[in-house]
Amino acid sequence: MPTRKRQRPASPPSADFFHKLATAVPGILFAYWLSADGKSHAFTYVSNHTQQLFGIDPETLKENAEPLFDLIHPDDIKGMEESIRESARTLEPWQYRARLHLPDNGYEWFEASSRPTRESDGSTLWYGQFHNIQHYKVLEQELRESESEYSFQAGFQRLVARLSTEFINLGFGTIDECIDELLKSVGEFFSMDRAYLYAFGEDYTAITKTHQWCREGVASLVDENQTVSIDAYPCWRKQLLEMVDNNQVAHVTGATDAPPPDVAVIQSETESASSDTASVFCVPVRAQGDVVGFLGLDSLAPRKWRQDLHDLLIIVSSLLSGALERNMLEEQLLSQSIRDPMTGLHNRRYLMPRLSELVERAERYDENFTVAMLDIDHFKQINDTVGHLGGDFVLRRFANILEDLIRSTDVVARFGGEEFMVVLPGTNQIEVQQIIGRILAAVRSDHFLFEGRAIPVTVSAGVASGRERDDRMISVDAVIKRADHRLYLAKQAGRDCAFDVSGPLGL
């Protein structure tokens, strides 16, 4: 079937034709010229969109391109000029993204693309177009923020899971190592400079730093185990008490007029900076229903904080609170298992391993130790006279006397019934005789008053040292047996006295 032959135009399209075509293109078509020496530039052609978008007459740009270049964001202009010079040198296609200032909308992103040609006089002419890509940059930023948020949340969940696992598998006696790891992990995750744990005093007037972590190059402000009174900072104390009462995070910036010790030093380090240079977060730590301290986090640099940061820190604090509560419970159970509930002294369960350690040291390092077995005289008679409550009182009072008279390195324990044992490491015979003499004299002269009734009390003692017999191996049983035999000798000698390897002590 025959087709109609298309007629060709009689003449090339006019300038008006190209002008109308350019106005229909979404974006700005241009021909950009740069002189050979790079000192002059102009748009030999630019579509009328410059008038609509930027308020710049295209005719003006034909004389000088500077009015359009003046609209480029200061952070983008240097990179853009360098890319133009590189394209002029290599004649490679030029493409660049930059922000331009719009009269009504502020800065928005534009993307330009063009191809260069070299003119006969050495100048360069680019033919291309640029268009607004603000919408795509917004979507790109939203996607980036979404990915960043997902990455952050996933990282936080991994952090919580790891710390939870460590605390669940926490072995008794390793709580300090776990707290140190938590401070380091949390400090690094939130890009802090310091992380630390403070314990409150009973009246909330003093705080003691028990653990701390500092980023490399950041100085520690308060030493561990250093107690600081907060009475000198009434405003800060008020914030801490509000933190305790409301179980909420306290956030303090460098501008506070009554900072805690850490913040005070932060301010001195950054006093020439703006008021938001330093930030301190204090997160309550609870155990057994009470706020026992707080987790502190310091930042020395200006930061824009996440809106949910307080909630995230509370989650971390809850992990720490749970671990501390479990550790406190384990310590209480352990204390109950190695303490005599009547007197509060250690019991045989605690005593025997300590004696084994002393025997081992005596064998390995030739270190001597002494054991004194003490028994309250006529204790059955005391019970029969004043009753078992009176007898319990005598036991507790005697325990207090022992604790008052022994040294910090000594061990005192209730061995059973009315028998007590004092273990004296690293003492010679004269020192032992003096200590035992003071104990017997203190009991003899003390007023055991129960319900207004005086109870006469004396004690007898048998003393044995680990290094008395060089011809045989030292053993716990052998030392205790010798002390028990000498206690029997003291009883036979009339009580209220003590026997050691040399016989009755001259007390």
Side-chain angles (χ1 to χ4, degrees):
M1 193 174 171
T3 59
R4 180 180 298 178
K5 186 176 181 180
R6 184 176 298 172
Q7 294 182 349
R8 298 177 60 85
S11 60
S14 64
D16 182 63
F17 169 83
F18 285 108
H19 177 71
K20 290 179 180 179
L21 183 63
T23 58
V25 174
I28 299 176
L29 299 179
F30 66 85
Y32 171 71
W33 172 83
L34 179 67
S35 63
D37 59 6
K39 295 182 179 180
S40 301
H41 63 154
F43 286 92
T44 60
Y45 173 82
V46 64
S47 57
N48 284 341
H49 288 80
T50 57
Q51 183 70 54
Q52 301 168 9
L53 289 174
F54 309 112
I56 300 177
D57 186 350
E59 294 300 318
T60 302
L61 297 175
K62 291 180 180 180
E63 299 295 329
N64 188 354
E66 205 60 31
L68 186 59
F69 275 62
D70 287 342
L71 301 180
I72 300 173
H73 194 283
D75 293 343
D76 300 334
I77 185 65
K78 182 178 180 181
M80 180 173 173
E81 290 176 342
E82 289 177 352
S83 69
I84 291 174
R85 286 194 294 269
E86 180 66 14
S87 177
R89 184 182 69 82
T90 63
L91 292 182
E92 291 292 327
W94 176 73
Q95 187 172 20
Y96 201 78
R97 292 181 176 183
R99 287 161 289 181
L100 278 74
H101 190 272
L102 277 64
D104 299 326
N105 297 331
Y107 285 99
E108 292 191 359
W109 284 94
F110 285 77
E111 181 179 59
S113 57
S114 62
R115 289 183 175 275
T117 60
R118 186 80 71 211
E119 299 296 291
S120 58
D121 60 356
S123 63
T124 308
L125 189 63
W126 285 266
Y127 297 91
Q129 62 90 29
F130 66 94
H131 60 282
N132 190 306
I133 60 169
Q134 180 66 21
H135 176 67
Y136 301 104
K137 293 294 289 187
V138 170
L139 291 177
E140 179 183 303
Q141 180 64 24
E142 290 176 350
L143 179 60
R144 186 180 296 112
E145 291 176 354
S146 177
E147 292 176 346
S148 176
E149 179 63 18
Y150 174 81
S151 176
F152 177 89
Q153 292 292 347
F156 183 74
Q157 291 176 14
R158 288 193 297 270
L159 172 68
V160 171
R162 178 171 63 82
L163 294 176
S164 298
T165 301
E166 291 181 2
F167 284 141
I168 289 173
N169 297 326
L170 173 66
F172 185 72
T174 62
I175 184 66
D176 291 327
E177 291 85 347
C178 288
I179 292 175
D180 289 339
E181 175 60 25
L182 179 140
L183 295 179
K184 177 177 182 294
S185 298
V186 173
E188 290 178 343
F189 183 82
F190 289 107
S191 300
M192 297 293 184
D193 295 298
R194 301 183 185 94
Y196 42 84
L197 181 64
Y198 269 107
F200 278 118
E202 292 184 1
D203 55 0
Y204 292 100
T205 60
I207 51 178
T208 301
K209 178 177 281 186
T210 61
H211 302 77
Q212 66 178 341
W213 166 85
C214 297
R215 185 178 299 280
E216 184 177 355
V218 176
S220 170
L221 302 180
V222 179
D223 294 333
E224 288 188 22
N225 300 321
Q226 182 175 345
T227 299
V228 179
S229 172
I230 58 175
D231 285 340
Y233 308 102
C235 293
W236 173 241
R237 184 171 186 271
K238 179 175 180 292
Q239 287 182 286
L240 282 183
L241 293 180
E242 289 178 351
M243 176 196 73
V244 171
D245 293 338
N246 301 322
N247 194 35
Q248 64 185 17
V249 177
H251 179 201
V252 183
T253 65
T256 179
D257 60 347
D262 291 74
V263 181
V265 181
I266 292 175
Q267 283 184 298
S268 67
E269 293 176 351
T270 60
E271 58 186 0
S272 61
S274 61
S275 61
D276 62 348
T277 301
S279 288
V280 175
F281 295 87
C282 297
V283 194
V285 176
R286 306 180 70 88
Q288 298 182 338
D290 297 321
V291 175
V292 296
F294 63 88
L295 168 67
L297 297 163
D298 295 350
S299 174
L300 300 178
R303 296 279 298 279
K304 181 179 180 181
W305 300 105
R306 295 175 56 93
Q307 292 183 352
D308 63 347
L309 180 60
H310 289 195
D311 296 332
L312 299 177
L313 293 179
I314 287 292
I315 292 174
V316 172
S317 174
S318 298
L319 291 176
L320 182 56
S321 296
L324 288 175
E325 184 158 350
R326 173 186 163 190
N327 185 72
M328 291 173 65
L329 179 60
E330 289 177 342
E331 287 183 340
Q332 290 172 0
L333 293 174
L334 176 62
S335 178
Q336 291 172 7
S337 70
I338 63 175
R339 292 277 180 183
D340 170 48
M342 173 65 69
T343 62
L345 298 177
H346 286 114
N347 57 21
R348 292 178 69 165
R349 183 174 182 177
Y350 175 86
L351 176 66
M352 301 309 286
R354 303 291 82 75
L355 284 173
S356 297
E357 292 173 4
L358 290 173
V359 166
E360 182 179 347
R361 293 189 66 84
E363 291 287 358
R364 181 175 299 180
Y365 305 111
D366 198 30
E367 295 178 357
N368 195 20
F369 67 95
T370 301
V371 169
M373 184 85 76
L374 300 106
D375 184 272
I376 300 175
D377 297 329
H378 303 295
F379 187 71
K380 182 179 183 302
Q381 182 178 335
I382 292 174
N383 276 335
D384 293 342
T385 303
V386 296
H388 287 282
L389 292 179
D392 293 345
F393 163 76
V394 171
L395 292 173
R396 288 192 294 269
R397 178 64 192 139
F398 178 51
N400 292 337
I401 292 174
L402 291 177
E403 287 187 310
D404 289 341
L405 294 180
I406 66 169
R407 305 165 303 174
S408 60
T409 55
D410 300 334
V411 177
V412 59
R414 186 181 180 189
F415 198 68
E418 66 271 24
E419 287 186 337
F420 295 76
M421 185 175 288
V422 176
V423 182
L424 307 161
T427 48
N428 57 44
Q429 188 175 15
I430 295 177
E431 291 173 328
V432 171
Q433 290 178 356
Q434 291 174 345
I435 294 172
I436 300 304
R438 285 195 295 267
I439 292 174
L440 268 61
V443 173
R444 189 184 306 121
S445 62
D446 194 87
H447 299 288
F448 287 77
L449 292 175
F450 178 70
E451 296 181 348
R453 183 176 179 178
I455 305 173
V457 179
T458 60
V459 296
S460 302
V463 181
S465 294
R467 276 299 178 193
E468 288 182 10
R469 300 287 295 271
D470 294 331
D471 58 341
R472 64 174 62 182
M473 295 291 290
I474 303 172
S475 72
V476 173
D477 290 342
V479 176
I480 293 177
K481 186 175 180 179
R482 288 199 296 269
D484 189 52
H485 174 68
R486 290 163 189 168
L487 173 61
Y488 171 78
L489 295 177
K491 295 283 188 180
Q492 291 298 107
R495 296 179 172 82
D496 192 20
C497 63
F499 273 66
D500 67 1
V501 66
S502 60
L505 302 185
L507 305 178

